[in-house]
Structure formats: structure tokens, C-alpha cells
Amino acid sequence: MEENLKILVVDDDQTNGSIVSLALTQTAISMEIDEVKDGNHAFFALINNHYDCVFFNYHLPNQDSFTLIHKLQSSGIKVPLVILIDSDNEQIARELLKLGASEYFLKSRLSPETIAQILRSTIRIHHAEMRLDLANQELKESREQLVLQQKELTAQQQHIKYQNFKLLEISSFKSLFLATISHELRTPMNAIIGFSQILLRPKFGQLTNQQLDMVEKILNNGKDLLLKINEILDFSQLESGKLELKPEILDLSKVVSHAVTKIRPLAEAKNLSLLVKIDLENTLVFNDAVRLQQIVINLLSNAVKFTEAGTIWVEIQETTQNQVIITVKDTGIGIASQDFQKIFAAFHQIDQGIGRKYSGTGLGLAIIDSLVDIMGGKIDIESQLGVGSIFKIKLPRKINLAPDLGSVVFSPHQNPFHSVYSPHKAAINYPHLKL
């Protein structure tokens, strides 16, 4: 309770008013008391001043007690109201309590002790009610704010859904465009490659050395361009979900060996050692041979592209009966750790400028990532700048794209490390990276 209270006494009977004021002043409570004679004066006083409590006689003229309560409620003025009644008028007091009065007590029991007790109790209850009203108001505002936020969130979600729909539509058009343009480009490119090969056959006439060199460049560039066109076509099919695997029981060691054979000329051109290790008790798997070979070729092509000197390793091993791992390791330029996720993004290049050193569409690793994903596998990467990179492709021995064919069984064997191409016969020494 405040140290110095301000009290308003409303009573048309000056004697009663004085008795109440006297009783209040005789309490141990520090207070300032104002007296008015009717409801109108009381209302005017309450509008212009703050009071901690109001004592008023229920028997004001012209039902002023009821009128005063209605006026206070209409004006939003909240103050504790204590009614003074005679012993035979408790029914009227209860009606006033229903309208908004705080407490009542009998004039016959008026004493400094009882009035001090009522004053403290009334003000304490009033403060509690005010805190409750404030909490309810804050709760109401919070609910309204939540409703508003929910509406805004719903609107944002609808906007995001619309944007996602438009993005999917655009992506679909893009995939369709890539597929269409790839098909359109493959036909003339195959013709260029075919006619170049015909020109290189001796039975169609002897070419001069200069002509032979030019035709070979046409053929090689045509093959390179066709490879890029095929990458774009594969990517568009993967992105649209139209690329389907064609699984069969195959010898994984042969698939990898074929891929290595195709990459061997690139390694020879850069004087790189290319080593293969097959560490499988069972070389049979159930997968798509073409797509498996594509994964290995893409990994090896990247390894050759980004390795200026040293060695490239390919290893096949099994961790469990139901999983195989294809690992490609190089001593190339390496990849910064912050770029590990970026390199699998479509069209991403380590050097993004037009005059970049390393050519390519930036789709190789994106295609590998998608193929491994639909095969139910996983890609792990380890790399250090200036040291080299390790790509591990973990694949199930049998992909789940067909009815259960039972266990894949083959005679156990283990092939030793053998060199596909190693001009320097270099020993494997890769101290900084663990396979």
C-alpha cells in the first residue's frame, strides 16, 4: 500500500461524512481526504484527480450511488468503491456490488480499526484486479498479435507455394529445353564424328599430314562436344526424374577396368600413373553397368583434369556382404573444405571465370551425385588443397529397383594391385590422406 493515500468521501449527510473522515484520520494510515456531497461532484473529482479509494453513502439523492457507478464504468475510471449502509439495507449494497462496487460495511460498526482493515483489504484486492486486468489485456493483445502473425505466415506460405510452383514450372521448361536441344545437337554432331572417321580411313584416299591433323582435331573436338551434350541430356533427365536405371547382374571389376581403359589415354598424355586395386571376394553386383561406368569415368576424368603430376588410384573393396566401395584418389590440386558441398551443384566450376583454366560443363559431379542417390548410395569426400582428393562411392551390392533376385553369388577371388599405366613405376605414397 502507498505511504500516503488519497481518499474521497461522498455523503450528503455532513455528519456521516465527518464521522467517516474522522475514523479515517484516526487510523495509522497516512492519507489525504477530500469530501463531496453528491454523485455529480464525486464524478467531477474523480475525473480530475486520482484517488486510491472512495467511500460513499448508499443513500445519495436521486439514486446517485447507482448513477455514479454507471458513470465511472462508462468513463473507464477504475477505483475501489466502499459503500456505507445502515443495518437494514444490505440488499441494496449487494446490488451495488454486482454493478461494480468493491466492498460495503455497516455505519454502526464504523471504527478506525474496521475502516483501516477494510481500506487495506479493498485497495489490495483492487490492485490485484488491476494486475489481472492488465494481464488479461496483454494476453488478449498477444492472441490478436498471434492471429495476425498466423495470417501473415499463411499468406507467406501461400506466396512461397506459388513461387515454388513457378520455379518447378520453370525448371520443367528448362529440363525440357535441355533435353530437346541436346537431342537436336546430337544428330549433327554424330554426323560430324562419323564423316571424320570415314575421312581417316585409308580406302577413301590418302590425306596429307596437315589434312590428317585437321580431321583428327575435328574428330576429337566432336567427341568432346558430344560428351558435353550427353552430360546435359543426362542431367536434364535426372532433374526431371525421367532417367531410369537398367540393372543387371554384372562383374564390377570388369566395369571399372573398362572405365580405366577409356581414361588411360588422358593419363598418358599428362604422364600420370594410373593404378587399380580390386579387393573383392565377390565381384558380382546388381546394378546398371552403363551408369556405373559413367560414374567411374567422370571421377577419373576429374582426377586427370585436376592432377598435373603424380598418381591416380582406383580401388574397389567391400565393407560388408551387402555394400561395395569405389574409391578414386589423386595427387591433384585438392578442394577447400568450404567447397565440399558446392562442387556437387549443377554447373559449378572451381574457377567460374570465362577464362578459367579447367574446361567442362560443371555437371560431372552433379550427375554422379544424382546417380549415386537413385542407386541408394552415398558419396564421401576427403581433400586438402595442394595435396589431393579422395572420392568414395558407397553402393549397395544390389540396388532395389527390381524384385528380389536372391543373393548374388560368385567364386571368391582377390586381385592384387596392378598397373594400368605407370611410366615411372612409382610406388604408392600418400601420407597426408587416408584411404
Side-chain angles (χ1 to χ4, degrees):
M1 188 177 296
E2 299 179 8
E3 293 183 358
N4 187 41
L5 301 179
K6 192 166 183 179
I7 309 298
L8 178 65
V9 177
V10 185
D11 199 330
D12 61 336
D13 187 333
Q14 188 174 3
T15 303
N16 286 336
S18 299
I19 293 173
V20 173
S21 298
L22 179 61
L24 288 168
T25 57
Q26 290 179 350
T27 65
I29 303 172
S30 176
M31 67 181 72
E32 177 184 343
I33 302 172
D34 290 339
E35 294 184 14
V36 294
K37 62 180 181 178
D38 56 37
N40 288 332
H41 286 88
F43 182 69
F44 181 79
L46 288 166
I47 288 178
N48 293 281
N49 300 279
H50 166 75
Y51 289 96
D52 295 291
C53 191
V54 177
F55 290 84
F56 68 95
N57 189 350
Y58 81 98
H59 190 56
L60 294 174
N62 301 319
Q63 289 191 325
D64 262 7
S65 55
F66 291 91
T67 304
L68 176 61
I69 293 176
H70 283 303
K71 282 185 176 181
L72 293 178
Q73 290 177 341
S74 300
S75 302
I77 298 174
K78 295 183 179 181
V79 61
L81 300 174
V82 180
I83 310 163
L84 307 174
I85 65 169
D86 297 323
S87 58
D88 57 346
N89 295 114
E90 290 195 44
Q91 181 60 39
I92 295 177
R94 284 191 285 270
E95 291 178 9
L96 291 172
L97 288 177
K98 292 178 182 179
L99 290 178
S102 303
E103 185 59 274
Y104 73 90
F105 70 91
L106 300 176
K107 297 178 183 178
S108 58
R109 297 181 181 176
L110 187 64
S111 69
E113 292 78 15
T114 56
I115 203 167
Q117 182 180 0
I118 290 173
L119 179 61
R120 290 190 177 95
S121 174
T122 301
I123 292 178
R124 188 180 300 112
I125 292 172
H126 176 72
H127 286 171
E129 290 175 347
M130 292 295 290
R131 288 193 296 271
L132 180 61
D133 288 345
L134 179 61
N136 288 334
Q137 181 62 30
E138 291 175 348
L139 181 60
K140 180 181 177 182
E141 292 175 357
S142 297
R143 287 175 178 171
E144 291 174 352
Q145 186 67 24
L146 284 174
V147 170
L148 180 61
Q149 290 176 350
Q150 184 64 39
K151 289 181 179 179
E152 292 176 352
L153 180 60
T154 302
Q156 289 175 356
Q157 289 174 338
Q158 293 297 326
H159 182 64
I160 290 172
K161 286 182 180 179
Y162 175 75
Q163 286 184 322
N164 287 340
F165 173 77
K166 297 300 291 184
L167 287 173
L168 287 173
E169 189 177 34
I170 292 170
S171 178
S172 176
F173 285 139
K174 182 193 71 176
S175 297
L176 179 61
F177 169 76
L178 290 175
T180 302
I181 199 67
S182 297
H183 280 295
E184 293 297 324
L185 290 174
R186 287 175 73 183
T187 301
M189 189 52 56
N190 281 321
I192 292 171
I193 292 171
F195 286 126
S196 299
Q197 290 172 333
I198 290 173
L199 288 172
L200 292 174
R201 293 174 186 173
K203 65 179 181 179
F204 288 97
Q206 190 68 33
L207 300 177
T208 65
N209 289 336
Q210 185 178 9
Q211 290 172 335
L212 185 64
D213 181 62
M214 292 174 65
V215 174
E216 286 178 345
K217 287 181 178 178
I218 292 172
L219 178 60
N220 291 332
N221 281 282
K223 288 181 176 179
D224 184 55
L225 185 54
L226 182 61
L227 179 63
K228 291 179 171 61
I229 292 171
N230 287 335
E231 280 187 342
I232 295 173
L233 180 60
D234 286 341
F235 173 74
S236 66
Q237 291 178 329
L238 284 165
E239 192 177 40
S240 62
K242 295 180 180 179
L243 188 144
E244 296 182 359
L245 298 181
K246 299 176 181 179
E248 58 182 332
I249 296 177
L250 55 90
D251 189 329
L252 182 59
S253 63
K254 292 182 179 180
V255 172
V256 173
S257 295
H258 290 159
V260 171
T261 300
K262 289 186 177 183
I263 297 299
R264 180 177 60 186
L266 298 177
E268 290 176 344
K270 298 184 72 172
N271 205 29
L272 299 173
S273 296
L274 182 55
L275 303 175
V276 177
K277 180 181 179 182
I278 298 176
D279 186 13
L280 294 173
E281 291 185 4
N282 180 4
T283 61
L284 290 185
V285 298
F286 182 72
N287 208 318
D288 187 320
V290 173
R291 297 306 174 182
L292 274 178
Q293 185 170 237
Q294 183 179 8
I295 289 172
V296 178
I297 287 176
N298 281 356
L299 286 175
L300 289 174
S301 297
N302 276 350
V304 172
K305 181 194 298 184
F306 296 110
T307 302
E308 298 302 327
T311 305
I312 296 170
W313 292 267
V314 183
E315 181 175 3
I316 317 172
Q317 59 185 152
E318 52 196 352
T319 55
T320 65
Q321 184 180 0
N322 299 317
Q323 186 184 67
V324 295
I325 299 178
I326 302 171
T327 303
V328 174
K329 181 170 63 171
D330 62 60
T331 55
I333 62 175
I335 305 166
S337 58
Q338 63 267 24
D339 292 329
F340 282 3
Q341 294 300 322
K342 297 178 184 177
I343 61 174
F344 293 104
F347 305 107
H348 177 81
Q349 296 278 2
I350 291 179
D351 50 343
Q352 298 279 11
I354 295 177
R356 59 181 182 266
K357 178 179 179 181
Y358 302 102
S359 62
T361 60
L363 290 174
L365 287 176
I367 291 172
I368 291 174
D369 187 43
S370 296
L371 287 174
V372 171
D373 184 59
I374 62 177
M375 289 176 180
K378 180 183 177 183
I379 301 177
D380 289 332
I381 178 174
E382 299 175 33
S383 187
Q384 294 181 33
L385 288 175
V387 177
S389 301
I390 300 175
F391 286 87
K392 290 185 178 181
I393 308 296
K394 299 179 180 179
L395 295 172
R397 185 176 287 276
K398 181 176 66 176
I399 60 176
N400 296 320
L401 297 179
D404 193 350
L405 300 181
S407 300
V408 178
V409 179
F410 191 67
S411 300
H413 71 278
Q414 185 172 0
N415 293 338
F417 229 126
H418 65 276
S419 173
V420 175
Y421 176 70
S422 180
H424 303 295
K425 302 296 181 182
I428 297 177
N429 182 15
Y430 213 76
H432 300 292
L433 296 173
K434 295 182 179 179
L435 190 62

